Amino acid sequence: MRFERFSDRRLMAQEAVSTTSATLGDLPQWQLSDLYAAPDAEAFKADLAKAGVMSRDFETKWKGKLADAATRNGEQGLGQVLKEFEALEDLLGKIGSYAGLYYYSDMTDAARAKFFGDVQAKLTDYSAHLLFLTLELNRLEDSLLKAAIEGDPATAHYGPWLIDLRKDKPHQLDDKLEQIFLEKSQTGAAAFNRLFDETLASLRFTIDGEEQTLEPTLNLLQEPDPAVREKAAAALSKTFKENQRIFTLVTNTLAKDKEISDRWRKFEDIADSRHLSNRVERPVVDALAAAVEKAYPRLSHRYYKMKAKWLGMEQLNYWDRNAPLPEAANRTIPWNEAKETVLSAYGAFAPEMAEIADRFFAGGWIDAPARPGKAPGAFAHPTVPSAHPYVLVNYLGKPRDVMTLAHELGHGVHQVLAGEQGALMCQTPLTLAETASVFGEMLTFRALLDKTTDRRERKAMLAQKVEDMINTVVRQIAFYQFERKVHTARKEGELTAEQIGELWLSVQSESLGPAIRISEGYESWWSYIPHFIHSPFYVYAYAFGDCLVNSLYAVYQNAAEGFQQKYFDLLKAGGSRHHSELLAPFGLDATDPAFWDKGLSMIEGLIDELEALDQSA
């Protein structure tokens, strides 16, 4: 729904404030007062009431009259209908975005959770009054809709959205069924999503007698000391196992919920609903997955074998997978240095890109500190075109945290530019939504690499980038295959935690290769991956984006002037054009199976460079 999180949560104070540490410096917290001053602010209450009235009035005014509106222009025409609907989408999205961001700052706070749940319930009720629009539009004759688009400039503005909407037509149910699906979602899938979030936020992991939340514990897996990594892994495994009953229930319930929905909507494959929402064809995704799986030996298997040798081990333990190399500088990167690094890299590519990214720092659009109750991971939330996006990170000063900042700011820049399309056409399908984020990471990495002349430092940087790319491509396709196995098996009945763990280990072993020792404890690590819960089959979008950006960056390196403008045109398009149309100006075609091999070859090339550096030592 429009008010769900993006890829991903609320507020520690009503104004932008900072958390200071001796090593990280001042860490900003976001300023949600750009949306509303507080949950009990008069402006928020007024907008919530206004949204309810507008939704009911919109239904009364237009329900059953869209066929007639399609034959008219002006204030009685279809263009006017969509203009009013877009304004409603923006208002509802603003309300939902505030409630979500306020909640995600501390999901263990009962008052915030209640506020979020109450707002979600109201927005779902309001949306029920708007449900008729898309259903009724898709019952219009093709010829009538075509004539409306061609005959009325106001309707023509929304032409891409109307044409795109027709793709959902084969899977729509009748009005009453759609309303039941919508209203029951808040006590079904949405409720289990919230249970997962609040459970994850409340988990504590004990290391040497001290309790920590998830993010700092995961961060210890990047420590140079192998004993610290092993203790962190043991703590993670212990807590995950203790909570397997809840995570297993959530997974079983949501997989069954999806199976019921897919059956009623007549989707053939378990991932087809995701492909449809991504506006990508199943053969394209199948080709991507097949290309990555075929490349496992050349990428992850080969790299981890090299890394085991660098660390003086026959095999890496699963908790050593992201361990730093001996060559890696073991220092904490202050926030201001991370900021300058990313903005400098963005500015070298295009000053406009750096200017947009700088607004996030200057305007209080970023929440950076890791703190109890805060949503784990990182995300960029687009909110609505009438406002601005927000970025959440859990910044702990690691090199990967700098890359995460570059990634999420890439999303943010994309969301600002796509906002020009308006509330109906600004949302980019997930396959292209990762383009700007991964491209931002690549710009930052290349800028840092170009400044590095020391062989040992260069090796450490290349290794980290290869690991990030393996995590983005190989690991995400393994996640995708794990989800396919889980959802397929669930059709035969409920799965035990042990069965889910076996499926998890099977894909992990295959993707990571023989250089990684997968020992007892790792079977429960599927538990904390939020994408499995919030966006089933989302994960292949990361691999799609990484391979696409690898190809796109190769074009950039060899391009004459004009690449930047074409790139900004791609971002500004939002969801108004298909990926094939947006990639054509760059000479790229994701429907060509060889396209994925080009993207994967860049990762292989970096591994080649690492091997050459190793041999020259």
Side-chain angles (χ1 to χ4, degrees), residues 317-603:
N317 297 299
Y318 69 82
W319 57 80
D320 298 319
R321 191 170 52 83
N322 289 322
L325 299 188
E327 292 88 346
N330 184 28
R331 73 180 184 92
T332 299
I333 301 168
W335 175 255
N336 281 341
E337 183 179 335
K339 170 185 173 181
E340 175 56 32
T341 297
V342 176
L343 291 182
S344 176
Y346 279 22
F349 172 72
E352 181 184 356
M353 192 169 174
E355 184 276 324
I356 295 173
D358 190 45
R359 296 182 207 168
F360 285 78
F361 296 97
W365 302 359
I366 303 176
D367 193 277
R371 56 179 179 268
K374 179 180 174 180
F379 64 81
H381 194 302
T383 71
V384 290
S386 64
H388 58 74
Y390 284 91
V391 160
L392 178 145
V393 294
N394 281 274
Y395 189 80
L396 295 166
K398 295 290 186 183
R400 277 196 174 90
D401 293 331
V402 180
M403 291 299 147
T404 297
L405 181 62
H407 180 102
E408 299 306 336
L409 285 173
H411 276 309
V413 169
H414 193 174
Q415 291 159 3
V416 168
L417 292 171
E420 299 174 7
Q421 294 290 338
L424 294 188
M425 294 183 288
C426 67
Q427 296 187 28
T428 307
L430 295 182
T431 40
L432 286 179
E434 293 299 331
T435 302
S437 54
V438 178
F439 195 80
E441 277 191 82
M442 182 65 78
L443 289 174
T444 304
F445 166 71
R446 289 293 180 181
L448 291 172
L449 190 67
D450 289 344
K451 296 177 182 178
T452 305
T453 56
D454 181 83
R455 186 195 65 81
R456 287 171 59 85
E457 288 184 18
R458 187 176 183 87
K459 177 182 175 182
M461 289 184 64
L462 283 168
Q464 180 180 305
K465 184 58 180 175
V466 167
E467 288 183 19
D468 288 345
M469 295 172 105
I470 288 174
N471 285 337
T472 304
V473 177
V474 171
R475 190 162 170 79
Q476 301 304 324
I477 290 300
F479 283 178
Y480 175 64
Q481 299 298 9
F482 167 69
E483 287 188 277
R484 292 195 64 88
K485 288 176 180 286
V486 168
H487 283 258
T488 299
R490 179 64 181 88
K491 290 183 177 182
E492 304 303 318
E494 283 209 13
L495 303 174
T496 65
E498 290 72 22
Q499 287 174 312
I500 299 174
E502 288 172 5
L503 297 176
W504 169 257
L505 293 181
S506 70
V507 297
Q508 291 301 304
S509 177
E510 181 183 2
S511 62
L512 297 176
I516 300 281
R517 181 187 298 110
I518 299 178
S519 53
E520 185 179 356
Y522 194 57
E523 68 278 357
S524 62
W525 283 44
W526 55 270
S527 308
Y528 78 98
I529 311 297
H531 297 94
F532 299 159
I533 304 303
H534 296 294
S535 306
F537 304 107
Y538 172 102
V539 288
Y540 72 73
Y542 288 113
F544 192 111
D546 197 280
C547 289
L548 188 158
V549 166
N550 288 343
S551 298
L552 197 63
Y553 197 84
V555 174
Y556 166 54
Q557 287 179 308
N558 299 310
E561 292 184 7
F563 178 91
Q564 284 87 342
Q565 186 55 53
K566 287 192 287 187
Y567 178 72
F568 277 108
D569 289 343
L570 181 152
L571 300 187
K572 290 176 181 178
S576 66
R577 294 157 69 188
H578 190 262
H579 66 79
S580 58
E581 185 182 355
L582 292 170
L583 294 178
F586 303 97
L588 300 175
D589 179 7
T591 63
D592 181 358
F595 170 82
W596 304 114
D597 290 326
K598 293 177 185 176
L600 295 170
S601 68
M602 178 175 283
I603 307 175

